[in-house]
Amino acid sequence: MSDELLIERRDGIVFVTLNRPQARNALTFPMYEGLAKLATEANTDDSVKVIVITGAGEKAFAAGTDISQFTNFRTAADALAYEEKIDRIMTALETCVKPTIAAIAGACTGGGAGIASVCDLRIGAANARFGFPIAKTLGNCLSMANYARLATMMGPTRVMDLVYTARLLDAQEMKAVGLLSEILPDHAALQARAAELAETLTRHAPLTMRATKEAMRRLRAPLREIHGDDLVEMCFTSADFAEGVSSFLAKRPAQWAGK
């Protein structure tokens, strides 16, 4: 699709590489849209059996959304439009009828962690790290849909610990809480195992996998219906969020005011 989103098709498997290694594969809006387009088109493309998403290089799966895209945020409309866009993209991946695998090496944070969490299966290299360090960086919050996804995967208490402390789970912790099904020793082994796992899925009953995926989505659905726009507005329109973006880009500690 572009140099930032590399697509390779091989024997029914679509390998997608988030390709901005110079920025730890931080996601631009065109990259998000490219993922949504790919997932939507795969629904009606019989040649696609499985989708594998990974990041370029060993240092990061994806280190969130490119922060420079937040510099013009000023209003509640900006915040809600952003969360609506991201939720539309995450939902496209979550509801894609084809099996999806996230192959995670290095940092998997923010929007990258969101993408990984909506994939059906996640495997990681030993250096994988997962989290949403927004309490330390931007001072924003997640959408209600993302809180719901994480709470059903890890439990509310662990989600609060992860966000409050702004720490990243290592690969062993990720496996312990169910975020990873396997840990591979290094990047090369991760890529080989992702291809092997995807090939296995191409031989399994598509309707069984599709029904299971949809059943899990329906179990999560009631939590997603809880209203959360006020929380998004509160954080994204705050002076703290503007300070978080400014301090992040300037590579200095944020000075939080709680306003």
Side-chain angles (χ1 to χ4, degrees), residues 43 46 49 97-99 201-215:
N43 288 331
D46 292 339
K49 306 300 182 185
V97 300
K98 306 302 170 69
L201 299 189
T202 65
R203 299 192 296 268
H204 290 173
L207 295 183
T208 298
M209 293 185 287
R210 181 174 177 177
T212 301
K213 180 173 190 167
E214 176 60 13

Side-chain angles (χ1 to χ4, degrees), residues 133-140 235 238-248 252-259:
I134 50 180
K136 184 170 65 175
T137 55
L138 298 183
N140 60 327
C235 290
S238 68
D240 271 359
F241 180 69
E243 163 65 8
V245 172
S246 176
S247 64
F248 185 94
R252 61 172 174 79
Q255 301 297 315
W256 306 117
K259 298 177 182 180

Side-chain angles (χ1 to χ4, degrees), residues 190-202:
L190 174 70
Q191 298 303 313
R193 177 55 182 151
E196 180 184 44
L197 180 58
E199 184 181 356
T200 296
L201 299 189
T202 65

